[in-house]
Amino acid sequence: MDYGKHQAPAHYEAGEGCLTTLIRIPVRIVVLAIVLPVRMIWDALVAGARAADRILLRPLGRALSWLLATLVVIPAVRLYEAVLTPLGHALLWLAAAVFVRPWVALWRHVLVPAVRYGLVVPVVWLYEAVLTPIGHGLRRVYRELLAPAGRGIAAGVGWVLTALFVRPVAGLWRYVLVPFALAAAWLAEHLIVRPPAWVYRELLTPLGHGITWLLELLARGIAAVGSGLWAVVVWLVLTLLVAPLGRLYRRVLAPVGREIAAAFGVAWRIAGYISRAVGRAIAWLAWHLIGAPVTWVYRTVCTPVGHFVRDAVWAPAKRAAVEAGRAARAALRTARETVARARRDAWRVLVGGARAPEPREQGSPLARRLGAKQQAMTVPSAAPEPEISSLGEKNAERG
């Protein structure tokens, strides 16, 4: 089968005439003249907003966040951790000790035993020892005495009431009221119900059918006349009002609206190109008038001056400060050692102390020494005298 024959025909668009083209170009020029300042102002505002966000808002936000964290968050956290948390724990312990634990102890050691042994145990004993036997006895009395006597009394009273009230009333209903009601119903049916029903069925129903038929014919005529008038009115409205308005919309308003919308779109894009070109030109001028000279000054003047200051001033000052710090630390360390030695000497002079051990030769445990061999040959607990000693130290000690 050829499916192409059953496809819907493509939508046909008529070609645009020269008049539309001649009107379109001036309209777009006018719209461009209107839209171009708006687009340039918009692009300037966007560029200013981005620059303000990059230069001012982000550093300001970081500074405010740091300031908030330094002045509010960190002190609040430290206050909470160092003051409020221990205070809360202390208050919680105090509240538990003052309000909770006494009531728990009162409930556990006073009220529960009092209620248990003062109320529950006596009530349970009374129920098991007194009320249960009494209840069992009353149940036996009811089952063996009161229930048979009650059944006999109820049977006698029922027979008396039936003989005195039920049977006379039943006889009156069956032999007097029922025949009288049947006779009254037969009379009412033949004297009251049937004559109006015959009048309704034989007279009023045909008369109503005739009146309904006449009204239906009249309504059909009126409807036919009204439908004709409505059709005439609709035709006049469609011909004189709707069709001209539709042609005006299709032929004038819709093309004008589409052209204006297209003109605004094209003008907005062209204004964007022009605005970006103007922005690039301003940026080029700003770079060559401000940026390039400032960069040249920074690279040619500021950088060498900074290097000179760093190498000729800052580095020697830093080295001098480091050396001064080292010298000061060495002097303080020497002073501390001198004070400690003087304190030990003063304490030894006042109190007395053990003799200072002789200085020994410092070296590796693998070094060959005569004392090691002699020590191995003597008693392990005896320490030999050093063969080699510092002469200067001994002389200084003797002197």
Side-chain angles (χ1 to χ4, degrees):
M1 295 178 64
D2 189 4
Y3 292 98
K5 296 181 179 180
H6 300 280
Q7 295 178 357
H11 181 68
Y12 177 76
E13 295 183 358
E16 297 179 352
C18 60
L19 182 61
T20 304
T21 306
L22 291 176
I23 293 174
R24 179 183 299 166
I25 294 173
V27 168
R28 290 190 177 182
I29 292 173
V30 173
V31 171
L32 178 61
I34 295 173
V35 170
L36 181 59
V38 178
R39 181 59 188 264
M40 294 185 69
I41 293 172
W42 174 260
D43 290 339
L45 291 176
V46 170
R50 290 178 180 174
D53 178 67
R54 187 179 302 165
I55 297 172
L56 181 62
L57 296 181
R58 292 181 184 177
L60 182 61
R62 288 193 291 268
L64 289 178
S65 63
W66 177 84
L67 187 62
L68 180 64
T70 305
L71 296 180
V72 179
V73 177
I74 296 176
V77 171
R78 292 180 179 175
L79 177 65
Y80 175 77
E81 293 177 352
V83 178
L84 296 181
T85 301
L87 182 62
H89 291 170
L91 291 177
L92 182 62
W93 181 86
L94 183 62
V98 174
F99 296 104
V100 178
R101 293 177 183 174
W103 294 104
V104 171
L106 178 64
W107 170 263
R108 185 178 298 170
H109 301 292
V110 178
L111 293 180
V112 172
V115 172
R116 182 177 180 180
Y117 295 104
L119 182 62
V120 176
V121 173
V123 169
V124 171
W125 176 83
L126 179 65
Y127 175 77
E128 293 178 352
V130 179
L131 297 179
T132 301
I134 292 174
H136 291 171
L138 292 176
R139 183 178 62 182
R140 292 185 62 182
V141 169
Y142 172 76
R143 288 182 178 178
E144 295 178 0
L145 297 177
L146 296 180
R151 284 195 293 269
I153 293 171
V157 172
W159 183 83
V160 171
L161 292 176
T162 302
L164 294 178
F165 296 102
V166 176
R167 290 180 180 177
V169 173
L172 178 64
W173 171 262
R174 184 180 299 171
Y175 298 108
V176 178
L177 296 179
V178 171
F180 180 74
L182 293 176
W186 184 83
L187 291 175
E189 181 180 359
H190 287 81
L191 296 178
I192 298 174
V193 177
R194 288 188 177 182
W198 182 86
V199 171
Y200 175 77
R201 185 173 58 252
E202 300 296 335
L203 296 178
L204 297 179
T205 301
L207 181 60
H209 289 173
I211 293 172
T212 303
W213 180 74
L214 291 176
L215 292 176
E216 185 178 356
L217 288 178
L218 183 60
R220 288 180 180 178
I222 294 172
V225 174
S227 62
L229 293 176
W230 178 252
V232 171
V233 171
V234 169
W235 181 82
L236 289 175
V237 170
L238 291 176
T239 304
L240 298 178
L241 184 61
V242 177
L245 290 178
R247 290 191 183 92
L248 177 63
Y249 175 77
R250 287 193 303 272
R251 301 297 175 84
V252 178
L253 298 179
V256 170
R258 285 195 298 269
E259 290 299 328
I260 293 174
F264 269 102
V266 173
W268 185 261
R269 290 193 294 272
I270 295 173
Y273 297 148
I274 296 173
S275 177
R276 283 193 289 272
V278 172
R280 285 193 293 269
I282 293 174
W284 183 83
L285 289 175
W287 169 252
H288 285 82
L289 293 178
I290 299 175
V294 170
T295 304
W296 181 84
V297 169
Y298 175 77
R299 291 178 179 177
T300 308
V301 179
C302 296
T303 302
V305 170
H307 291 174
F308 174 77
V309 170
R310 182 190 63 187
D311 298 335
V313 178
W314 175 253
K318 183 178 179 181
R319 287 194 296 270
V322 171
E323 294 296 333
R326 291 177 181 174
R329 286 194 296 271
L332 290 175
R333 184 166 56 253
T334 304
R336 284 197 300 270
E337 292 176 356
T338 303
V339 171
R341 189 179 299 109
R343 187 174 61 250
R344 287 195 300 270
D345 294 340
W347 179 260
R348 189 179 299 111
V349 168
L350 293 175
V351 179
R355 180 175 176 271
E358 295 291 336
R360 295 183 180 180
E361 180 183 3
Q362 297 180 356
S364 174
L366 300 179
R368 297 180 63 185
R369 293 178 298 172
L370 297 175
K373 186 175 179 180
Q374 185 179 359
Q375 182 180 2
M377 295 174 61
T378 56
V379 182
S381 60
E385 291 293 332
E387 286 82 3
I388 300 173
S389 59
S390 177
L391 184 60
E393 293 179 358
K394 286 187 176 181
N395 295 330
E397 189 175 2
R398 290 174 182 176

